[in-house]
Amino acid sequence: MTSLPDLVCPAGSLPALKAAVDNGADAVYLGFKNDTNARNFAGLNFDQKTMADGIRYAHAKGREILLAINTFPQAGRVADWHKAVDAAVDQGVDAIILADIGLLDYARNRHPQQRLHLSVQGSATSYEAINFCQREFDIRRAVLPRVLTLAQVENVIRNTTVEIEVFGFGSLCVMNEGRCWLSSYACGESPNTVGACSPAKYVKWDKKPGAMETRLNGVLIDRFGDDEPAGYPTLCKGRFEVQGETYYALEEPTSLNVLEILPEIIKIGVRAIKVEGRQRSPAYVTQVTRTLRAALDSLRDGSERFHVKPAWQAELAKVSEGSQATLGAYNRPWR
Amino acid sequence: MNGSFTIPKFRLPAFVASLGQKLPQWPHALALVAGLNAALKMKLLPESELALLEDKLFRVRVLDTGGEASYTYANGLFRPVFRPQREPDLAFAANLSAYLQLLSRQEDPDTLFFSRELEITGDTELGLIVKNMLDAVEWPKFSARLPVFRH
Ligand code: SF4
């Protein structure tokens, strides 16, 4: 019998957290209501009380709460990030997901017992980097950036005792992992500085006859015909004119979806599968969690005959940005 | 609300909308505002975010019924605005089925927006605040208590 990887689901609110737990997430990841996490949007995330309620709810059902403090401390305000780490420990989260090496050091020294995970924003793509973080900060798990092929993921797993978590579903943000400044180019703010890519206050949706235009701080990002699915105007997913041709010059607005290669992911020893989308609604969390739960459960007994049910794909396709799915880097022929 | 009941995507025939436009718009506005104020009274909406709605003008348009309601939030209460004198700060437009799917948490607003079934215009950040605020509400077993549903 193969043991299944944990299903790690996002929550930006208490109802989303409950939806994740009720639909079969093994762990739920959250953030505080401030810029110590990379989904710092108005009205989203947890304060002390909602987090305490959420932790109680999850623990009562035997699930874990992981807290993301995955932005980089800004000059002069390092204390805010330290406070977030202390608060997370006080709240009793099961693990803290950190990206910054200085913060890892702080958390490890100040709270020697706290379980720490290395965030995808930490940008560790090699086992050397991961083993370094294990040696120095005793991290238990690392989340791999979405840039590795399946064979590369397997190579990392073979060469480390740190648990490996990979992305399984959600909007693609390659972020160069952890170093994308595209958003700053248009509006002076990026995920690693203010905790949000393309913050809503710079976004304008303009309905014109026959088309909708989206702008980021005045920069035209895309134009959608009336029947075309729309996407959020992040610079990487815009259509730009390059040498006389207008197309998705950086990235297609697709979602990552690993259903098809789930058996391989389990076989190579991935310890946890993560779903993107703390900014999405409880309805999204419900749909994605229950679909991935069903798919994972169908593999519970190391079943050789894994079939991706069309209903699963339909459910996931519906909630995808751009309504297109891809295996991302996992099956890319080049490295 | 009710997990075992699925609201299908539907569109009412066009004549309903043309009829709807000829009817007075105030019943929708009153019902909507009564519902929001009931949620306020039950302290379901977080105060820090409510403050960000102060004096903003909202418009909700139901495309296939031709219904439309405008309202504002001021001094701790939602109030209907019967003859808006300016463009709303935030406007929603969708068919009835999309609103029902949203309210029952059956569909995600982003999904409906990306698939162009829900149109949101105006101040994007305000839209996000409203969306996140509604997402964070823990609806109590609901239908029996809100005055809108009782009548
Ligand atoms: S511009 Fe794209 S790749 Fe860069 S942070 Fe934003 S979503 Fe990610």
Side-chain angles (χ1 to χ4, degrees):
Chain A
M1 155 141 188
T2 3
S3 72
L4 291 178
D6 279 0
L7 179 57
V8 181
C9 297
S13 65
L14 198 51
L17 181 153
K18 292 184 176 175
V21 168
D22 295 346
N23 286 283
D26 298 296
V28 187
Y29 69 103
L30 339 161
F32 283 125
K33 257 184 198 298
N34 58 35
D35 59 358
T36 62
N37 79 90
R39 290 281 189 278
N40 178 29
F41 300 140
L44 201 71
N45 295 321
F46 290 76
D47 56 23
Q48 243 180 342
K49 183 183 175 301
T50 45
M51 192 170 296
D53 289 350
I55 293 174
R56 214 172 306 120
Y57 191 84
H59 285 175
K61 303 203 170 179
R63 319 300 169 77
E64 295 187 330
I65 296 291
L66 318 179
L67 185 88
I69 302 179
N70 55 354
T71 51
F72 293 80
Q74 295 300 296
R77 291 185 44 218
V78 178
D80 292 351
W81 274 261
H82 289 175
K83 255 187 257 160
V85 170
D86 298 341
V89 176
D90 285 347
Q91 294 257 1
V93 299
D94 295 281
I96 309 178
I97 310 169
L98 295 167
D100 180 67
I101 291 212
L103 275 187
L104 279 162
D105 185 60
Y106 173 85
R108 180 45 69 230
N109 286 319
R110 184 59 71 95
H111 308 286
Q113 303 304 321
Q114 180 64 49
R115 188 171 121 203
L116 302 179
H117 292 181
L118 180 65
S119 161
V120 62
Q121 304 292 81
S123 228
T125 46
S126 68
Y127 61 81
E128 288 96 336
I130 291 166
N131 289 340
F132 168 82
C133 289
Q134 182 183 37
R135 195 179 69 227
E136 298 299 321
F137 316 118
D138 192 23
I139 57 162
R140 177 89 67 83
R141 186 184 292 175
V143 187
L144 289 188
R146 287 155 279 192
V147 295
L148 299 180
T149 64
L150 208 55
Q152 287 171 322
V153 174
E154 184 175 15
N155 187 43
V156 170
I157 292 174
R158 281 224 189 103
N159 289 287
T160 185
T161 53
V162 174
E163 298 175 1
I164 295 301
E165 178 170 319
V166 301
F167 275 88
F169 183 80
S171 280
L172 272 176
C173 154
V174 285
M175 257 213 181
N176 232 338
E177 296 270 355
R179 299 183 208 105
C180 177
W181 297 94
L182 275 173
S183 174
S184 284
Y185 178 76
C187 60
E189 298 186 5
S190 275
N192 291 336
T193 59
V194 302
C197 176
S198 317
K201 61 173 180 270
Y202 300 110
V203 170
K204 197 91 212 144
W205 305 94
D206 245 343
K207 187 91 177 74
K208 304 239 156 101
M212 182 167 69
E213 292 184 353
T214 64
R215 286 173 192 275
L216 183 62
N217 205 18
V219 181
L220 182 63
I221 304 290
D222 209 342
R223 183 181 289 133
F224 305 99
D226 275 345
D227 313 314
E228 245 185 311
Y232 193 82
T234 48
L235 263 170
C236 65
K237 297 176 189 97
R239 272 183 276 204
F240 300 103
E241 195 184 311
V242 182
Q243 297 181 331
E245 249 186 277
T246 305
Y247 66 108
Y248 293 108
L250 298 167
E251 196 181 17
E252 299 262 341
T254 52
S255 280
L256 176 72
N257 175 356
V258 300
L259 269 189
E260 258 175 61
I261 55 168
L262 214 45
E264 286 88 338
I265 287 185
I266 295 174
K267 201 158 93 208
I268 63 175
V270 165
R271 195 59 200 84
I273 294 180
K274 179 172 206 141
V275 173
E276 183 273 349
R278 277 192 292 128
Q279 73 283 17
R280 301 286 295 261
S281 291
Y284 165 92
V285 175
T286 300
Q287 291 162 340
V288 178
T289 306
R290 97 176 146 216
T291 305
L292 288 178
R293 182 77 268 159
L296 281 169
D297 283 348
S298 79
L299 282 154
R300 190 173 287 286
D301 303 306
S303 158
E304 293 299 313
R305 285 157 311 173
F306 174 68
H307 294 296
V308 177
K309 292 208 180 121
W312 297 341
Q313 291 293 34
E315 181 103 330
L316 293 183
K318 198 177 63 180
V319 299
S320 299
E321 193 177 348
S323 295
Q324 280 181 57
T326 159
L327 286 169
Y330 292 124
N331 71 340
R332 200 175 275 158
W334 50 270
R335 297 170 187 186
Chain B
M1 274 181 243
N2 187 343
S4 56
F5 177 71
T6 316
I7 299 160
K9 178 176 162 184
F10 61 82
R11 192 178 202 301
L12 297 173
F15 73 85
V16 180
S18 58
L19 262 180
Q21 276 154 10
K22 297 195 183 85
L23 297 173
Q25 297 300 323
W26 55 268
H28 318 292
L30 283 182
L32 184 66
V33 164
L36 286 168
N37 283 329
L40 272 184
K41 248 210 211 122
M42 292 154 78
K43 300 222 176 301
L44 293 176
L45 308 175
E47 276 169 32
S48 54
E49 273 96 35
L50 276 172
L52 302 170
L53 309 188
E54 192 74 25
D55 287 330
K56 303 285 186 198
L57 183 62
F58 302 91
R59 186 181 65 207
V60 177
R61 213 173 241 167
V62 187
L63 295 172
D64 55 353
T65 68
E68 179 178 313
S70 292
Y71 63 98
T72 184
Y73 175 78
N75 301 322
L77 270 186
F78 288 98
R79 298 157 208 278
V81 177
F82 297 117
R83 276 190 207 82
Q85 302 296 315
R86 59 181 180 103
E87 276 298 294
D89 296 291
L90 186 66
F92 300 91
N95 288 331
L96 183 62
S97 71
Y99 285 118
L100 294 176
Q101 290 173 333
L102 265 183
L103 284 176
S104 61
R105 292 222 165 119
Q106 190 180 311
E107 291 298 349
D108 175 56
D110 288 339
T111 302
L112 294 170
F113 182 78
F114 291 142
S115 64
R116 311 296 293 279
E117 285 166 57
L118 170 67
E119 200 182 292
I120 306 174
T121 41
D123 180 340
T124 310
E125 188 168 44
L126 188 60
L128 199 64
I129 292 168
V130 169
K131 179 198 105 146
N132 288 338
M133 199 165 97
L134 293 178
D135 277 352
V137 171
E138 291 219 80
W139 300 119
K141 297 287 163 238
F142 198 28
S143 27
R145 285 167 73 184
L146 271 192
V148 210
F149 291 103
R150 216 166 38 210
H151 292 302

